[in-house]
Amino acid sequence: MKKKKSIKIMRLAAIVLVVSILPLLVSCGYNTDDRKPASEPKSNQDAVQHDTEQDDKKISDKVIEFDVLIGEHVSFPVTRYEDSLFLQKITEKTGIKLNLIAVPDAGDAYKQKLNIMLNSNEIPDIIWTSKDDALINSLAVKGIFLSYSDYLDYTPSIKKLFETIPDIERSYSASDGKVYIMPRLTTNVMSEIFMIREDILAKEGLKEPGTFDEFYILLKTLKEKYPDKITFINRNGGEHLVNRLAYSWGSGYETGTYGFYLNRDEDKYQYGPLDENFKLMVEWLKKLYDEGILDKEYALRTTAQWEEEMSKGNALFTVDYIDRVKSINSGYINNGMEARVAAMNIPKGPTGKSGILAKSAVMSNSGIVISSKISDPVAAVKFIDWIYSDDGRLMTSYGIEGETFVIDEDGKPMLTSQMKRQANPNGKELVKDYGWIYYMDKYEFPVGYLKDVLPGDPVPEDDRWMFSREKMEKANQVIPADPVLKFTEQQTSELRSKCTLIQDYFKQNIDKFIMGTRLISEYDQFVEEIKKLGVDDVAKVYNDAYSVYKGN
């Protein structure tokens, strides 16, 4: 194995993008009088006496336990420590045992759990925040969380990231200039795609549409030819639809910023549902729903239900994450099905635009924070530093080296022969057999980047995942992510008081318009109703923060 080559490969993850942090839109009350940083160095000079070379050294020879609040993805259930070879291996390598407090990341469960913990002062040692981070900074300066900036002499990997990606410090620092949140990073910025049953298009001799009018005709044709299938399937309600379609309709809707988006033509933030083109998109979706083209259960269908219908070949079109292409097609192949899904070029909307926004390489609303009352803060920061090191990034991405993955002669990670892949559909799996934890992967290397064709394997039947990526890139339909803005405590308070009301009211009404329980003729009235909840005030906050972001 060639470690030096692997390290070189992993360092490609240090992508410099301008980023910052979103607000935590939940209200929290605290008594912070008794909250003081535990064993915090007064300066970086106080930390210099400790050894920072930890590539191949344990953090502690004696096992240190930390309680960790972590999100649980519905597709990647968390395994308890006793049953997780992955977590046990981490303890063997680092001396750190993680007692995970897993909370579903779907809906408001995680946000509510975090809010309860913070309000009750029962803060776990480490919070692997999957969403709603920004209030962390306002609490951190009151002494509730530990500052990474005060421990840089213990954390060579984090220190290097600060130097390589200066926007981490610029965008994630609190009002005192210190960094309390280590953000989640990703090399996979391509997000969702239009995903269609490629085999059926070929069978019926149907062409991909160029416009949404042509797309309607294609979907209508598929509905007539395959009445027993779900023509256009969706999960998690109308908001999940509009934020993926809005850009192509000449508007925008970002769920992370509660419907506000950067209008690049005018270089300012605005609220998507106020746009006339947004209304046209809603009318188009209503037509699909009325004609039975759009899934009648679209507003209620869960991710698990969506996965089930896709795996059975019961759906013809969807908009979802590109990495689903590999998992869906692998299931089809393993089950001997002829079904195949692949990316479809995104039709042009009324303004001639088409595409879907990418993710930022430094992900907003996601990071790691450490309680200031943790028993061993030095061990804690060293452990988080290990997560961001080359060794930690490999393990948290691919599992246990030598068992679940190895490094090939080109320095690239690849599965071991015992693992599940196209040539070994009944092989072992990272989550089920090793207890791999999805949200521990701060660099979120997608499964598609892992080499899964081993020497001696038959030539893979296809690689529609790579085909889909290249198709999106060639069509120039991967739109750079909106900048992630940093807010003052006062701005955060204003967003907190208004954005939840705005988002909730939108979600209550968008499905009514699509399903026809509220007349589309009332849309202009709806616009006035939602504006009264403070849309203009929130837009001003975003644009003020955007001005700071640009250095104005």
Side-chain angles (χ1 to χ4, degrees):
M1 300 179 190
K2 299 188 177 181
K3 284 290 184 180
K4 291 184 178 180
K5 288 187 177 181
S6 71
I7 290 173
K8 183 178 179 181
I9 293 295
M10 306 308 285
R11 285 174 178 164
L12 294 176
I15 304 170
V16 180
L17 287 182
V18 180
V19 296
S20 56
I21 191 159
L22 291 171
L24 171 57
L25 300 175
V26 294
S27 57
C28 306
Y30 302 89
N31 177 5
T32 59
D33 293 341
D34 62 342
R35 292 280 179 174
K36 302 297 180 185
S39 306
E40 180 177 325
K42 294 180 181 179
S43 71
N44 291 336
Q45 294 301 316
D46 296 321
V48 78
Q49 56 189 302
H50 286 261
D51 182 13
T52 60
E53 295 297 328
Q54 48 183 98
D55 287 345
D56 297 309
K57 291 180 61 177
K58 278 189 176 182
I59 294 167
S60 172
D61 290 328
K62 179 181 178 180
V63 174
I64 300 175
E65 296 190 29
F66 293 138
D67 293 335
V68 181
L69 178 67
I70 192 166
E72 182 175 39
H73 193 286
V74 65
S75 300
F76 307 100
V78 172
T79 303
R80 65 177 187 164
Y81 183 89
E82 292 74 14
D83 298 324
S84 173
L85 296 176
F86 172 71
L87 292 176
Q88 293 168 24
K89 188 67 174 181
I90 286 177
T91 302
E92 180 185 322
K93 286 183 70 70
T94 67
I96 303 298
K97 178 183 177 183
L98 301 177
N99 301 317
L100 300 183
I101 306 166
V103 181
D105 69 352
D108 293 329
Y110 185 92
K111 180 171 67 176
Q112 291 172 357
K113 180 68 173 180
L114 177 60
N115 199 20
I116 290 171
M117 284 184 163
L118 294 175
N119 273 303
S120 64
N121 287 336
E122 295 180 358
I123 300 176
D125 298 316
I126 298 171
I127 300 175
W128 239 284
T129 49
S130 64
K131 58 187 70 174
D132 301 330
D133 293 338
L135 195 60
I136 294 293
N137 274 337
S138 64
L139 299 174
V141 296
K142 299 174 183 178
I144 292 179
F145 298 106
L146 181 149
S147 163
Y148 291 100
S149 303
D150 290 325
Y151 289 84
L152 292 181
D153 289 295
Y154 294 88
T155 56
S157 297
I158 290 175
K159 184 177 181 180
K160 184 170 184 178
L161 281 173
F162 282 1
E163 295 169 351
T164 308
I165 313 177
D167 292 315
I168 292 177
E169 286 188 286
R170 184 175 72 86
S171 298
Y172 274 77
S173 60
S175 59
D176 60 1
K178 297 181 179 181
V179 174
Y180 297 88
I181 305 166
M182 272 307 297
R184 190 177 185 182
L185 309 178
T186 180
T187 56
N188 182 28
V189 297
M190 189 178 295
S191 188
E192 293 90 0
I193 62 171
F194 277 36
M195 194 183 306
I196 198 162
R197 282 283 298 277
E198 182 187 62
D199 59 303
I200 287 181
L201 289 187
K203 178 182 177 182
E204 302 295 342
L206 298 171
K207 295 182 179 180
E208 293 186 9
T211 67
F212 274 87
D213 287 338
E214 293 175 0
F215 188 31
Y216 161 73
I217 295 172
L218 172 63
L219 292 173
K220 186 177 178 66
T221 301
L222 292 174
K223 174 67 178 176
E224 292 170 351
K225 290 180 175 291
Y226 299 88
D228 59 327
K229 305 288 187 184
I230 302 170
T231 310
F232 184 163
I233 194 170
N234 179 65
R235 60 190 177 99
N236 300 333
E239 191 179 46
H240 187 274
L241 278 173
V242 298
N243 83 309
R244 287 152 171 80
L245 301 182
Y247 180 86
S248 296
W249 281 84
S251 181
Y253 187 98
E254 290 303 295
T255 53
T257 47
Y258 303 89
F260 293 83
Y261 76 102
L262 178 61
N263 184 323
R264 287 168 168 78
D265 294 334
E266 299 184 21
D267 195 35
K268 70 177 183 179
Y269 275 80
Q270 59 190 54
Y271 186 58
L274 305 188
D275 299 343
E276 183 62 27
N277 286 325
F278 195 97
K279 177 183 176 182
L280 294 176
M281 175 184 63
V282 175
E283 291 175 342
W284 186 81
L285 288 169
K286 181 182 183 302
K287 179 167 67 172
L288 298 189
Y289 183 85
D290 289 345
E291 296 183 19
I293 295 171
L294 177 60
D295 181 13
K296 289 296 183 181
E297 302 297 324
Y298 86 89
L300 300 175
R301 194 177 295 281
T302 65
T303 295
Q305 292 168 339
W306 177 91
E307 288 175 339
E308 181 179 8
E309 297 300 337
M310 291 298 297
S311 67
K312 292 179 179 178
N314 290 341
L316 306 182
F317 173 82
T318 193
V319 184
D320 219 280
Y321 295 107
I322 185 170
D323 288 344
R324 297 276 190 177
V325 170
K326 180 171 284 246
S327 60
I328 292 171
N329 283 328
S330 292
Y332 292 156
I333 293 169
N334 294 339
N335 292 321
M337 300 169 62
E338 295 182 357
R340 298 291 184 272
V341 293
M344 183 188 89
N345 281 324
I346 300 174
K348 292 181 179 180
T351 65
K353 292 183 177 180
S354 65
I356 295 181
L357 291 187
K359 295 181 293 188
S360 172
V362 182
M363 302 174 71
S364 64
N365 268 358
S366 191
I368 309 173
V369 294
I370 303 172
S371 169
S372 62
K373 287 190 171 182
I374 197 165
S375 60
D376 192 333
V378 172
V381 294
K382 283 189 172 184
F383 176 70
I384 303 307
D385 190 71
W386 175 80
I387 292 290
Y388 287 87
S389 71
D390 294 317
D391 183 52
R393 288 153 69 178
L394 276 171
M395 186 169 180
T396 56
S397 298
Y398 305 121
I400 303 171
E401 187 166 1
E403 291 191 45
T404 65
F405 79 97
V406 293
I407 304 298
D408 71 7
E409 60 182 11
D410 296 320
K412 296 180 180 179
M414 70 178 188
L415 290 171
T416 57
S417 59
Q418 66 176 340
M419 300 301 290
K420 182 178 180 179
R421 61 191 190 284
Q422 195 171 120
N424 184 21
N426 297 316
K428 293 184 177 181
E429 300 179 47
L430 269 176
V431 176
K432 185 177 69 174
D433 296 295
Y434 288 91
W436 179 77
I437 308 299
Y438 175 72
Y439 279 121
M440 276 198 67
D441 180 6
K442 294 296 97 182
Y443 281 76
E444 200 183 29
F445 283 95
V447 68
Y449 287 132
L450 187 61
K451 197 171 180 181
D452 61 358
V453 179
L454 308 185
D457 283 353
V459 176
E461 183 173 332
D462 61 43
D463 190 354
R464 283 177 169 80
W465 178 85
M466 183 57 72
F467 165 81
S468 296
R469 292 189 65 85
E470 293 174 348
K471 185 171 186 174
M472 289 285 288
E473 291 167 352
K474 183 177 180 180
N476 198 29
Q477 293 185 326
V478 183
I479 312 303
D482 284 354
V484 185
L485 307 177
K486 177 179 172 182
F487 302 97
T488 66
E489 190 168 351
Q490 181 178 351
Q491 288 173 326
T492 299
S493 177
E494 184 166 6
L495 293 174
R496 187 167 65 247
S497 67
K498 294 177 181 177
C499 280
T500 300
L501 292 175
I502 292 170
Q503 185 184 42
D504 287 348
Y505 194 70
F506 172 78
K507 290 169 73 173
Q508 291 167 14
N509 282 274
I510 186 62
D511 291 320
K512 291 180 181 179
F513 284 121
I514 293 174
M515 294 188 288
T517 57
R518 183 169 185 181
L519 298 177
I520 198 70
S521 60
E522 296 180 13
Y523 192 87
D524 292 341
Q525 177 184 332
F526 157 73
V527 166
E528 295 305 314
E529 293 166 356
I530 204 164
K531 285 176 69 175
K532 290 179 181 178
L533 299 178
V535 166
D536 291 341
D537 295 334
V538 173
K540 183 179 185 306
V541 170
Y542 276 107
N543 282 305
D544 287 346
Y546 182 48
S547 181
V548 172
Y549 171 87
K550 294 189 295 182
N552 296 342

